[in-house]
Amino acid sequence: MSAILLLVLGLGGMAAGYFVYSRFIAEKIYKLDPDFRTPAHEFEDGVDFVPTNRFVLWGHHFTSVAGAAPIVGPAIAVIWGWLPAFLWVVLGTIFFAGVHDSGAIWASVRNRAKSVGSLTGEVVGGRARSVFMIVIFLVLLMVNAVFGVVIAKLLINNPGAVVPVWGAIAVALVIGQLIYRRKIGLGLVSVVGVVALYALIYIGPSVPVTLPESTAGLSPNAMWILILFGYAAIASLLPVWVLLQPRDYINGLQLFVGLILLYGAVIIASPTVVAPMINFGVPEGTPSMLPLLFVTIACGAISGFHGLVASGTTSKQLDKETDARFVGYFGAVGEGALALAAIIAATAGFASLADWQAVYTSFGQGSLTAFVDGGAFILAAGTGMEVTVAATLLTVMAALFAGTTMDTGLRLQRYIFQEWGEIYNIGWMRKALPATLLSVASCLILAFGAGGADGSGGLLIWPLFGTTNQLLAGLTLLVITVMLVRRGRPTFYTLGPLVFLLVMTLAALLMQLRDFFEKENWFLLGLDLVVLVAAVLVTLECVAALRRAKGAANDESAS
């Protein structure tokens, strides 16, 4: 089957979701008000609260939530066949992710831009907030610690990507000055930024950069991780308009150019999908597709991390409440398009079924390698681009997204520590610098404490990321649903997705619990139990809050 069919059906479905379904959700369910005074205006401080052009903010939101996850998850999940992965990405984007992301922005904006964890305290109750924030902290710890490892390995495996990855930071700094200081039009700045970024990608392979085998006794992997966290700490303290916004915006444009190139190559070369539609001969040891498909593919269908970004940084920059539809829902569509590209690259980027099976020999195989190698194969066939340049382009794309997610993730982790400072009245923890240092320290303790001198300890708890992340998405939808009930609005459009997510996530947690027990992995077993108990407690609290809200709504209608 030609990959063109997947491309047309996938993008067509997501486009219909944005132009039709998102309009209904925005106007009839969330009832976004263009005259509502957003926190970006109410608390404008030039650092975190900054009214922002919706296109720039879309770039920040989209690239912050994208990361490497919408590439990795789908590229692993196709081991069960391309059809289940394709359906979950497309339908998940339309009916789950878009509703979740735009809803999280709306809920936060309506509550002084509070994070979803802090918001839970007001909407549901103090006990739910305390438990929920533990789940949020674990998700951020996993994302930051693991993405540091992912970027480090990408830079080590492809030295030609080092110059464009770090050069993009300089480009972003210049763009921020041009937009906010020089007041130069967004169109011209966008063209200059994209041209500069792709020039760096072209130059990168000619000037590869490698670190020494040992620096102060540390390996290249450990050194890159330290450098990345040092950079992320500085970035998280800078005003958002200086680096975070322009970096995310230019990366968003870079992604669209990259997707246009990749999708254009698919149309020109018309590669054949060699992977099976449904794989009945999965390798031994591959877990059951149900429920693992729905936690393996998180970003690209729906992800709890999106709610953290939506309520952590995006809501503080929203110029008009109606922009939540474009920024949130269309941001989810952008990520769905990236996940679709990962599916096509990982199923049609091989010469034959035998070549595909040689890569997918066990669960967890494929991943970024399948995307980069398969995508480079398609790009070379469709555009005539050299395979090495194509591979560098896709590697840089993945590394830049992982970097922007890490930037935002560390800033969000800083917000968590600051919110704990407010909740428990710890004065010094409310300040940005101490909270940032605590965030970096917690990530490095995990990275080097569990991973030794290599710094890869974040990978130790990564097996729990999918379930914890999807649990977070379900709980965010619960908070949104409670708000809708209190306002007397229909809840089916959020209640349906959240019930599905909670059922699949709890089933996956129980399945993993058994697996950890059989393998005698007591650390992950204990962490799984913590997440499972937290899920049950927060769910019960939210159900009680829903009943109270419905009871209050019924009393009002009766009176």
Side-chain angles (χ1 to χ4, degrees), residues 58-387:
W58 172 85
H60 157 70
H61 179 81
F62 163 53
T63 54
S64 293
V65 301
I71 298 172
V72 173
I76 290 175
V78 293
I79 197 168
W80 289 301
W82 61 261
L83 182 61
F86 173 80
L87 289 176
W88 176 228
V89 163
V90 176
L91 297 178
T93 295
I94 297 171
F95 297 107
F96 287 68
V99 175
H100 170 274
D101 288 20
S102 57
I105 296 173
W106 166 73
S108 180
V109 165
R110 285 285 169 165
N111 289 274
R112 303 181 301 284
K114 290 192 173 183
S115 73
V116 67
S118 181
L119 182 59
T120 304
E122 294 189 8
V123 176
V124 180
R127 286 179 299 184
R129 177 192 62 195
S130 299
V131 177
F132 200 179
M133 289 186 75
I134 294 173
V135 177
I136 292 171
F137 179 78
L138 286 174
V139 169
L140 290 173
L141 187 64
M142 292 177 194
V143 168
N144 293 333
V146 171
F147 275 30
V149 178
V150 169
I151 301 169
K153 291 188 180 301
L154 283 171
L155 296 178
I156 291 170
N157 294 335
N158 193 337
V162 174
V163 168
V165 165
W166 290 101
I169 296 171
V171 173
L173 288 169
V174 172
I175 287 176
Q177 295 296 318
L178 292 177
I179 293 176
Y180 288 99
R181 294 291 191 190
R182 302 295 181 182
K183 306 297 182 183
I184 295 178
L186 195 59
L188 178 60
V189 170
S190 301
V191 172
V192 171
V194 170
V195 170
L197 198 57
Y198 274 89
L200 289 170
I201 292 173
Y202 182 78
I203 294 170
S206 304
V207 283
V209 177
T210 57
L211 294 181
E213 286 298 316
S214 178
T215 305
L218 296 174
S219 67
N221 192 75
M223 281 303 301
W224 275 128
I225 289 173
L226 289 175
I227 292 169
L228 286 164
F229 273 107
Y231 155 75
I234 295 170
S236 72
L237 290 169
L238 291 173
V240 290
W241 65 267
V242 173
L243 179 59
L244 190 68
Q245 278 185 2
R247 176 169 156 81
D248 291 352
Y249 174 66
I250 201 66
N251 284 344
L253 292 179
Q254 178 258 154
L255 170 71
F256 261 83
V257 174
L259 284 179
I260 289 170
L261 288 173
L262 184 57
Y263 284 145
V266 169
I267 294 172
I268 294 170
S270 187
T272 301
V273 177
V274 299
M277 183 169 67
I278 299 178
N279 190 6
F280 294 104
V282 295
E284 186 177 350
T286 301
S288 169
M289 182 175 69
L290 293 175
L292 266 295
L293 171 71
F294 302 102
V295 297
T296 301
I297 300 179
C299 299
I302 182 173
S303 164
F305 182 72
H306 292 203
L308 299 183
V309 176
S311 65
T313 57
T314 304
S315 63
K316 294 177 175 64
Q317 303 169 61
L318 200 74
D319 184 32
K320 296 181 179 179
E321 190 179 62
T322 47
D323 290 346
R325 176 188 171 219
F326 179 80
V327 175
Y329 198 102
F330 193 60
V333 168
E335 188 168 39
L338 178 58
L340 178 63
I343 291 173
I344 292 174
T347 58
F350 297 86
S352 65
L353 174 60
D355 290 335
W356 182 83
Q357 290 173 330
V359 171
Y360 286 87
T361 55
S362 63
F363 184 71
Q365 296 300 308
S367 191
L368 279 174
T369 302
F371 171 73
V372 172
D373 293 346
F377 175 84
I378 294 171
L379 277 171
T383 66
M385 188 183 301
E386 291 183 12
V387 174

Side-chain angles (χ1 to χ4, degrees), residues 490-550:
T491 58
F492 170 79
Y493 306 96
T494 56
L495 195 59
L498 84 83
V499 170
F500 179 85
L501 273 181
L502 287 180
V503 169
M504 290 299 168
T505 301
L506 292 174
L509 279 169
L510 291 171
M511 184 180 293
Q512 287 183 317
L513 198 66
R514 183 183 66 183
D515 183 56
F516 296 147
F517 179 79
E518 292 175 351
K519 293 179 178 178
E520 298 184 356
N521 191 330
W522 308 123
F523 176 74
L524 286 181
L525 179 71
L527 202 56
D528 193 318
L529 282 172
V530 170
V531 175
L532 185 61
V533 170
V536 172
L537 288 176
V538 176
T539 301
L540 291 175
E541 289 286 336
C542 288
V543 168
L546 276 173
R547 288 177 175 174
R548 290 195 301 270
K550 285 186 177 180

Side-chain angles (χ1 to χ4, degrees), residues 47 232-239 411 414 432-434 436:
V47 179
I234 295 170
S236 72
L237 290 169
L238 291 173
R411 186 178 288 257
R414 185 246 289 179
L433 181 58
T436 299

Side-chain angles (χ1 to χ4, degrees), residues 424-450:
Y424 301 109
N425 197 26
I426 305 174
W428 62 269
M429 196 184 288
R430 300 175 189 173
K431 298 177 181 178
L433 181 58
T436 299
L437 294 177
L438 285 173
S439 301
V440 172
S442 61
C443 293
L444 292 180
I445 287 171
L446 174 62
F448 289 93

